[in-house]
Amino acid sequence: MSDLGPSHEVVNQEEGMDFDLAAAAMVAAADLHAPFWEKGPPEGVVRCSDQQSWLCLIKEKSMSVFRRERAAGRSGFLGGDAEDIGEFIHSNADAISFSLTQAPQTLAHCDYRAGNLMREKGGLGIKVLDWQTFTYGPGLYDVANIVVCSMTVAECEKHCKRLLRLYQSRLSELGIEYEWARLWSDFRLCVLQHCFVINYAFESVVDGSGEVVPDCPELFARVWDRIVGAARRYGCLEVKL
């Protein structure tokens, strides 16, 4: 990473990515995913259904927090008022996980967000950091990490489908056809999977009563708004499981 210091700078996830940089990240994601598309996991890479995969670990941690909070008489979904989303994802956790295995599978970074990207100074070239969570799973999980988690709510609402179309178009250029209706459905499933990240992240910033502590990082609150907003805006609770 020190080698990139003179030529690149870390992207600010709290402020959110602009469209041009998000578009570059869509192309880079497609370039990463295409060589491994539906070819089986590379040696040493776990499938997303494996209990040791990042997606399963996040889900199980969220389930544990949900059960603990419910036992204490609270909603079970940390960070804000979205009890309906918390109830839905935890009641349907196994169905969400299974549905993700039915999406096209590829090598996914699984923490492909602004904070793990370095941007070329004065340009749009990007380098991807922190490969500890890579998994053979749905490529759209990476896409959602950019479009939903790494852009402001307003920018996501404005550019979401345009960015998804760009990802689809780049895959097509690389010989992979991803039909739009299926892509849109898989994207919404991946937003639901991202909802599990909320309990995982917020457990460290709530007090014994389940309330968010005053010094909670602003990024946490913004990502909560982005994920919950996308789940509502795109009708993710209505997706077929």
Side-chain angles (χ1 to χ4, degrees), residues 26-37 39 106 166-178:
M26 290 298 96
V27 173
D31 288 346
L32 164 65
H33 297 156
F36 304 96
W37 198 267
K39 293 182 178 178
T106 187
L166 178 59
Y167 175 75
Q168 180 193 40
S169 175
R170 179 57 179 164
L171 285 177
S172 182
E173 291 173 1
L174 297 170
I176 295 164
E177 299 304 325
Y178 201 163

Side-chain angles (χ1 to χ4, degrees), residues 126-139:
I126 59 174
K127 300 292 184 183
V128 185
L129 309 177
D130 194 2
W131 287 84
Q132 301 172 6
T133 55
F134 61 84
T135 301
Y136 192 70

Side-chain angles (χ1 to χ4, degrees), residues 83-157:
E83 186 172 357
D84 58 329
I85 294 176
E87 177 68 34
F88 181 87
I89 65 168
H90 293 101
S91 297
N92 295 282
D94 289 341
I96 292 169
S97 293
F98 175 77
S99 295
L100 289 175
T101 69
Q102 304 307 295
Q105 305 289 285
T106 187
L107 180 65
H109 181 283
C110 289
D111 201 14
Y112 188 74
R113 57 184 178 83
N116 281 332
L117 301 181
M118 294 196 74
R119 176 182 191 164
E120 182 182 10
K121 292 179 180 178
L124 294 174
I126 59 174
K127 300 292 184 183
V128 185
L129 309 177
D130 194 2
W131 287 84
Q132 301 172 6
T133 55
F134 61 84
T135 301
Y136 192 70
L140 280 169
Y141 188 79
D142 287 347
V143 170
N145 232 333
I146 295 295
V147 177
V148 173
C149 301
S150 299
M151 303 183 78
T152 66
V153 171
E155 287 295 288
C156 175
E157 186 171 4

Side-chain angles (χ1 to χ4, degrees), residues 6 8 11 19 21 32 38 47 50 58 73 99 123 134 158-159 183 196 198 205 210 214 216-217 219 235 237:
H8 289 71
V11 180
F19 172 80
L21 187 57
L32 164 65
E38 296 284 75
R47 294 180 182 271
D50 189 294
I58 289 289
S99 295
F134 61 84
K158 182 178 180 180
H159 298 300
L183 186 154
F196 291 122
I198 289 175
V205 293
C216 171
L219 175 61
L237 273 61

Side-chain angles (χ1 to χ4, degrees), residues 3-59:
D3 293 341
L4 297 173
S7 59
H8 289 71
E9 56 192 356
V10 176
V11 180
N12 189 316
Q13 185 166 354
E14 185 176 317
E15 291 181 1
M17 300 171 71
D18 60 28
F19 172 80
D20 289 339
L21 187 57
M26 290 298 96
V27 173
D31 288 346
L32 164 65
H33 297 156
F36 304 96
W37 198 267
E38 296 284 75
K39 293 182 178 178
E43 184 176 357
V45 178
V46 298
R47 294 180 182 271
C48 66
S49 56
D50 189 294
Q51 290 302 304
Q52 297 305 309
S53 75
W54 180 245
L55 300 191
C56 279
L57 290 172
I58 289 289
K59 181 194 74 174

